[in-house]
Amino acid sequence: MASSKGKTIAIVGSGLIGRSWAMVFLSGGYKVKVYDNQPGQASRAITDIRKQVEELQEAQMLRGKLSATEQLSLLSSHEDLSQALEGAFFVQECVFEELEAKKSVFQAVEKLVGEEVVLSSSTSCLMPSNVFSLVQNRTRCIISHPVNPPYYVRLVELVPHPETLPVVMDMAYELMTEVGQAPVRIRKEIDGFALNRVQYAIIAECWRLVKDGVISVKDIDLVMSEGLGMRYAFIGPIETMHLNAPEGLEDYLRRYREGMKRVLSSFGPVPEFDGEAAARINKEICELIPNDQEHLSARRERRDQLLMGLAKLKK
Ligand code: NAD
């Protein structure tokens, strides 16, 4: 990619994800302009980002080649959308996960930017053909779906609209790589993209096993955190198959194909995730981690510390 330094990225929506994206792009040396439609919200976001960036520098966890001061000098907040978009070559939308809100944001943004500006959405599970349905030129539209928090969890799912030009996909891929994320290309739109399809498959089977009294909440979470999750932080399921038989994937299939099919065919229907089962599972998890802010915040903080450590280890 041609030198991107000095270029501007606009963030529309300055909540949890908007702030984290801003930090990611700052770490790559981009000028970042943050906009939010709630008065005062963008400037509160800036205050929070400043604090986080300074703390990260102190903890020697700051990403990128620039110091905290250098990164923060590239950051600004805006109460006016057109001002925030001025000069931007890439717009990352991070507003509420509501289709109508996103559709009207992109309609408004398109009226204020040139044809060449890439319009990117952070949506977790809305389809590109819906999100961009009010945009006239959809060839420059893309979903860049991060994982929370994108500063520590590097994966970004890039999902094209059916009309998105390959060059836009390539440009987003290069941008994400340049700022230190780990982009993947979803070749065509599909509900849940890849991450949530896999995540929901795991959640569904864990839920069924607990619901049917096969295992406790504590133990099914250990199956992931002390078992599968340990290696999945480094190698994916296909590589795992390849490594788990002496002669690789084909050998694995020879040995385990029938067993996999037998187990998979015993899976139950999609759970309802409500009623007595939900109440029981909730009770069990709350006995382990009470659902008050103090306990939940402490666990989140611990999670983020471990993610930070893991991110450092994987560098
Ligand atoms: P959030 O509620 O923390 O922040 C949303 C922000 O958007 C708020 O500051 C709000 O004032 C602002 N906003 C709402 N409407 C707006 C508009 N029309 N114009 C400008 N600003 C507007 O939400 P979040 O968790 O940051 O999620 C943002 C997006 O990121 C959602 O699409 C969500 O699905 C996606 N996402 C979230 C996560 C996550 O775990 N939180 C992970 C991946 C993707």
Side-chain angles (χ1 to χ4, degrees):
M1 169 183 252
S3 172
S4 17
K5 304 298 176 285
K7 288 190 179 172
T8 300
I9 294 178
I11 305 279
V12 178
S14 64
L16 204 63
I17 292 296
R19 293 172 196 200
S20 209
W21 267 132
M23 288 164 58
V24 167
F25 293 132
L26 287 173
S27 75
Y30 287 92
K31 254 178 99 174
V32 175
K33 295 167 90 176
V34 177
Y35 166 80
D36 200 288
N37 72 346
Q38 292 305 306
Q41 173 78 339
S43 69
R44 278 193 293 279
I46 299 292
T47 308
D48 177 47
I49 294 168
R50 281 189 182 285
K51 185 168 168 282
Q52 288 195 56
V53 166
E54 276 155 11
E55 284 173 2
L56 282 164
Q57 176 158 279
E58 220 157 279
Q60 300 191 332
M61 288 297 302
L62 190 67
R63 281 173 50 169
K65 294 194 178 98
L66 303 179
S67 69
T69 312
E70 287 167 329
Q71 292 191 23
L72 292 171
S73 73
L74 300 169
L75 178 66
S76 59
S77 68
H78 302 266
E79 297 265 322
D80 177 67
L81 181 60
S82 61
Q83 214 182 63
L85 296 172
E86 206 182 307
F89 76 101
F90 191 89
V91 179
Q92 184 67 35
E93 167 275 316
C94 314
V95 310
F96 300 138
E97 186 73 349
E98 287 165 15
L99 181 58
E100 292 310 314
K102 290 192 189 284
K103 278 164 64 176
S104 50
V105 162
F106 280 116
Q107 191 180 33
V109 167
E110 185 178 41
K111 289 190 180 130
L112 296 166
V113 298
E115 282 278 306
E116 70 295 349
V117 175
V118 172
L119 309 184
S120 171
S121 171
S122 301
T123 182
S124 302
C125 49
L126 298 170
M127 300 280 259
S129 46
N130 294 328
V131 170
F132 301 114
S133 59
L134 298 181
V135 174
Q136 300 293 314
N137 171 13
R138 295 182 284 262
T139 61
R140 37 67 178 275
C141 293
I142 193 158
I143 284 173
S144 306
H145 172 228
V147 185
N148 188 37
Y151 201 81
Y152 305 122
V153 186
R154 302 187 317 129
L155 183 80
V156 184
E157 292 183 295
L158 299 176
V159 192
H161 182 280
E163 294 167 35
T164 303
L165 291 173
V167 70
V168 171
M169 190 76 159
D170 292 345
M171 181 270 187
Y173 191 96
E174 284 175 32
L175 169 65
M176 294 302 167
T177 307
E178 191 205 0
V179 297
Q181 299 303 97
V184 292
R185 297 170 194 264
I186 309 295
R187 296 198 183 114
K188 52 185 177 187
E189 63 176 359
I190 181 167
D191 204 8
F193 314 145
L195 182 136
N196 277 326
R197 292 181 79 85
V198 174
Q199 171 167 243
Y200 295 159
I202 293 171
I203 287 176
E205 186 51 16
C206 293
W207 189 272
R208 284 188 290 253
L209 289 171
V210 177
K211 176 176 171 285
D212 294 346
V214 175
I215 194 167
S216 68
V217 164
K218 182 176 176 214
D219 284 355
I220 195 63
D221 275 2
L222 283 173
V223 166
M224 289 304 297
S225 62
E226 293 295 336
L228 290 177
M230 287 295 283
R231 60 182 177 220
Y232 282 170
F234 301 94
I235 56 173
I238 308 290
E239 185 178 342
T240 297
M241 291 161 82
H242 199 43
L243 301 185
N244 277 5
E247 287 164 39
L249 184 79
E250 284 182 333
D251 189 15
Y252 185 95
L253 294 179
R254 269 193 301 275
R255 289 162 189 250
Y256 303 113
R257 178 185 285 119
E258 291 311 318
M260 281 196 294
K261 285 164 60 184
R262 190 191 67 244
V263 173
L264 282 166
S265 64
S266 72
F267 280 17
V270 174
E272 290 300 326
F273 299 111
D274 66 6
E276 183 275 329
R280 188 158 46 83
I281 292 171
N282 182 52
K283 185 166 172 283
E284 256 191 81
I285 187 72
C286 288
E287 278 164 11
L288 297 168
I289 305 162
N291 63 352
D292 57 73
Q293 282 315 309
E294 192 190 332
H295 284 91
L296 292 176
S297 298
R299 287 296 291 175
R300 288 189 189 113
E301 208 170 296
R302 177 79 185 127
R303 175 200 64 190
D304 290 349
Q305 275 171 359
L306 288 171
L307 283 173
M308 260 201 262
L310 196 56
K312 206 171 183 179
L313 202 64
K314 288 183 75 177
K315 258 206 231 159

